[in-house]
Structures are given as structure tokens and as C-alpha cells.
Amino acid sequence: YEDRIHDRNNEPTIFGRRHDLALELGVTRVINRESLIQLDLGWTSTGGFLENPYKAVMLGFDDPDQYVDESGLRYVPLKGVLEQRPNRRRQLSVDIRFAQHIRVTDAALHAEYRFYHDNWGINAHSVALSLDQPLGRGWSITPGARYYTQSRAFFYQPWFLFSQPYPAHPGGPLDLSQIPLAYFSSDARLSGYGALSETFTLRKQFASGLALE
């Protein structure tokens, strides 16, 4: 990171530049008096310094030629380094929303599906349902649920173990050029996971335009 470290108020500070270009297109179709559907497309291109300087990655080095005694214990040196991400990210998202008025109870049912894909290997799906139910006199309740799942980025692992000696410059620090990976991160937001969440909102609307939830 020597080429990115500059002095700021007498403190060595990492500087980096990034740029973002985002495009969005949305179309809403009224089906009838009680229902409508909406389609949103999004595309984002980001380039430059995309690392989080506060995110550390643990690297381990297991020398296959090291001496091992009868105990079988091996010495694996560990080193914490800053993550390395690709300098380009392209993201695509598709959102489909549907709203249906329920005449019997004067409620509104909302359903949403979202698909996300990027060139880091992440594919994500989310499904959300909610029901807005008026109770009268400005009161309403909104129960809902959302499920989300995503695959991991191709350069994500909780930690990284290499079958090689500790790669260091002669008498100096770790030599990243000897690591067989160009990109690595342990940011949990780049991992594969799923989440199910439930929500319940109680809302009071006042005549003055004030609302409490």
C-alpha cells in the first residue's frame, strides 16, 4: 500500500479513488382499480479503490517441508493483512413488486421479488410479503416477512491457508507477490448466507400530519 499512503495532519493515511455510475429504469402498470405491478431494473458500474481499509484478512502458511516430530504438531505462521478486492464491480438488479387491494378488510397486500447479480460471483434472491391493515381512527398494523439468500464472492473465505513457506522479503515484511491469489477478503457481507426476518409495525396517523410507528 506504499503508493496509497500519504501524510495527512502528520499521520500516514491510506488514500484511494473510486467512481460509480448507476442507471435505473422503472415501469409501473395499473392492472385494474385494485391492483398494480411494478418492474425496476438497476445497473451499477464501480471502479477504483473498492477495499475497506478496516477489514483484515488472516493468512496462514503451512510449509509442507517443515520438520514434524512424533507429536504431529505443525507450525503454521499467521499474518493479518488488508483485504484485496478487484478494482471493478458491475452489479445488476431486477425488482418485481405487486400490490393488491383487499376490499373486504380495506387492506393492501404487497409482494416483492428481487434478483441481484454481480461479476464478483454473488447471486442473490429475496422475497418479501407484507399486509397493510387499517384498524380505524388512524390506527393500522403491518405484519410482514422477508427471506434473503446469496452465494459468496469468488474471493471470499473466513481465512486463507496456503501450503507453502511464509513468503517474506529478505529481512523484510510479507511478500504478497508470492501468494497464489490476487484477491482475498473475509468480509462477511461477501459470504454465502440466508436470512429470514419477520416484521410487525403498529402505526398511528394524526390529523396534523404526524405519524408514530
Side-chain angles (χ1 to χ4, degrees), residues 1-90:
Y1 289 95
E2 291 182 355
D3 60 331
R4 298 184 182 273
I5 298 178
H6 306 283
D7 182 79
R8 181 180 182 182
N9 300 327
N10 297 320
E11 292 289 343
T13 305
I14 292 180
F15 284 82
R17 292 183 179 273
R18 61 174 288 176
H19 57 271
D20 299 85
L21 174 64
L23 301 174
E24 295 184 2
L25 175 65
V27 177
T28 300
R29 173 70 176 178
V30 177
I31 301 174
N32 53 45
R33 293 174 55 187
E34 297 182 336
S35 60
L36 60 83
I37 191 169
Q38 180 179 352
L39 173 65
D40 292 325
L41 303 176
W43 179 83
T44 303
S45 177
T46 306
F49 185 75
L50 304 185
E51 289 82 7
N52 289 312
Y54 54 88
K55 291 291 185 180
V57 181
M58 190 64 67
L59 308 181
F61 301 93
D62 182 12
D63 186 352
D65 298 324
Q66 67 175 290
Y67 168 75
V68 180
D69 60 21
E70 63 275 4
S71 70
L73 296 177
R74 305 177 64 85
Y75 173 68
V76 179
L78 303 177
K79 179 67 174 178
V81 300
L82 300 184
E83 67 174 11
Q84 295 286 301
R85 300 187 179 194
N87 59 7
R88 177 69 65 182
R89 189 178 191 182
R90 293 184 175 90

Side-chain angles (χ1 to χ4, degrees), residues 72-112:
L73 296 177
R74 305 177 64 85
Y75 173 68
V76 179
L78 303 177
K79 179 67 174 178
V81 300
L82 300 184
E83 67 174 11
Q84 295 286 301
R85 300 187 179 194
N87 59 7
R88 177 69 65 182
R89 189 178 191 182
R90 293 184 175 90
Q91 303 163 279
L92 173 68
S93 63
V94 180
D95 286 87
I96 301 176
R97 300 183 179 92
F98 176 76
Q100 174 69 50
H101 176 239
I102 302 175
R103 187 181 307 177
V104 176
T105 60
D106 195 28
L109 175 66
H110 297 271
E112 178 183 0

Side-chain angles (χ1 to χ4, degrees), residues 183-203:
Y183 311 115
F184 42 84
S185 175
S186 296
D187 188 342
R189 293 170 296 184
L190 301 177
S191 68
Y193 67 93
L196 177 63
S197 58
E198 302 84 22
T199 61
F200 185 86
T201 303
L202 176 64
R203 178 183 175 91

Side-chain angles (χ1 to χ4, degrees), residues 93-194:
S93 63
V94 180
D95 286 87
I96 301 176
R97 300 183 179 92
F98 176 76
Q100 174 69 50
H101 176 239
I102 302 175
R103 187 181 307 177
V104 176
T105 60
D106 195 28
L109 175 66
H110 297 271
E112 178 183 0
Y113 168 74
R114 185 174 191 267
F115 171 74
Y116 168 90
H117 167 79
D118 65 26
N119 64 326
W120 287 3
I122 297 178
N123 291 305
H125 305 267
S126 63
V127 178
L129 293 172
S130 64
L131 180 68
D132 295 324
Q133 178 61 63
L135 301 178
R137 297 187 177 182
W139 290 93
S140 65
I141 57 173
T142 306
R146 179 177 183 269
Y147 177 70
Y148 178 85
T149 180
Q150 76 171 39
S151 58
R152 71 177 183 90
F154 70 87
F155 55 90
Y156 168 84
Q157 288 184 197
W159 61 85
F160 294 80
L161 180 64
F162 301 97
S163 180
Q164 66 180 75
Y166 186 86
H169 294 283
L174 179 71
D175 183 3
L176 290 177
S177 66
Q178 299 185 39
I179 296 177
L181 289 178
Y183 311 115
F184 42 84
S185 175
S186 296
D187 188 342
R189 293 170 296 184
L190 301 177
S191 68
Y193 67 93

